[in-house]
Amino acid sequence: MKDTIIELLAGQKAVIDTTTFSNDMVTFETKDDVLTLLVHLGYLTYDFYTKEVSIPNYEISEQFASTIKVIGWSEVANSLTLSDELLKSTLNCDAEKVAELIDKAHSDNTSILKYNDENSLSCVISLAYYSARKTYTIEWELPAGKGVADLVFRPRKNNSNSAIIVELKYDSSAEGALEQIKKKQYTDCLKDYSGEILLVGINYQKNTKKHDCMIEKVYK
């Protein structure tokens, strides 16, 4: 249950089985029963075709975040608290600080989320950038140019911050991630945007268990 809530807070979706739900607020046999109740209460959106749930908007995700702080999930709460600093460091192009903060987010949540590929890396990165949803629309696996961009931060209306494109690598290099953004023309996904775009390459090195980061500015 805890893993699923973290994934939902990170902006991901979770498949559930709604058929076991007893249609009351007392009988809970499985994680899916709890999640189904949250759908009925309006805290989760349910896709009938894919059988997936997700948190519908930032306002409701704040309710989840507040609950996490109250029930004592300190490692997750710490990541959410640091997310403002992470976004600020990214916008300042402080790649060293970005890597340091992501290291901390991973360390705080290592008992919950195990790194084994780029998907698990993506979950921790998305959680670490949680507060960015106040000022950005964040899209995952967005078709762009000659490939698919891992994370795209599109500024909301009346937000003057730079757009951000993040490419993730597992046991590779941040430089390689940055080159992939440029080579595959991921900036093409921001068709209706003009202005500064930050290209962010993040890599997790398996042997050192550390992240490295490179950030570059381009204009569109």
Side-chain angles (χ1 to χ4, degrees), residues 120-131:
S120 52
L121 171 60
S122 175
C123 187
V124 168
I125 300 298
S126 299
L127 184 67
Y129 276 107
Y130 170 80
S131 68

Side-chain angles (χ1 to χ4, degrees), residues 5-63:
I5 293 299
I6 291 171
E7 289 166 359
L8 291 172
L9 268 175
Q12 299 189 359
K13 297 180 179 181
V15 175
I16 67 168
D17 178 5
T18 61
T19 61
T20 62
F21 184 59
S22 300
N23 291 316
D24 63 49
M25 299 181 69
V26 179
T27 308
F28 301 105
E29 299 293 339
T30 68
K31 172 189 72 175
D32 289 346
D33 291 343
V34 177
L35 296 174
T36 302
L37 175 61
L38 291 175
V39 171
H40 284 290
L41 295 175
Y43 288 100
L44 293 175
T45 297
Y46 179 70
D47 188 319
F48 175 80
Y49 298 101
T50 63
K51 313 300 182 186
E52 293 176 317
V53 293
S54 59
I55 298 176
N57 54 51
Y58 181 76
E59 288 72 25
I60 291 180
S61 69
E62 281 285 83
Q63 296 296 316

Side-chain angles (χ1 to χ4, degrees), residues 95 99 118 121 150 166-182 186 199-208 210-215:
E118 287 183 25
L121 171 60
D150 285 336
V166 179
E167 182 64 24
L168 306 174
K169 289 293 182 185
Y170 180 82
D171 214 19
S172 181
S173 72
E175 183 179 7
L178 206 60
E179 286 304 312
Q180 182 171 321
I181 296 174
K182 293 185 283 187
Y186 287 169
L199 310 183
V200 182
I202 297 172
N203 173 62
Y204 175 70
Q205 205 64 42
K206 187 177 178 180
N207 61 337
T208 63
K210 293 289 185 180
H211 300 80
D212 52 290
C213 175
M214 291 184 68
I215 303 174

Side-chain angles (χ1 to χ4, degrees), residues 119-178:
N119 288 330
S120 52
L121 171 60
S122 175
C123 187
V124 168
I125 300 298
S126 299
L127 184 67
Y129 276 107
Y130 170 80
S131 68
R133 294 175 207 169
K134 289 183 288 187
T135 50
Y136 287 92
T137 298
I138 303 177
E139 298 171 274
W140 291 261
E141 300 295 329
L142 188 64
K146 300 176 181 178
V148 177
D150 285 336
L151 282 167
V152 177
F153 294 65
R154 190 187 303 271
R156 296 185 184 275
K157 290 183 179 179
N158 303 316
N159 173 22
S160 59
N161 285 345
S162 306
I164 305 170
I165 297 176
V166 179
E167 182 64 24
L168 306 174
K169 289 293 182 185
Y170 180 82
D171 214 19
S172 181
S173 72
E175 183 179 7
L178 206 60

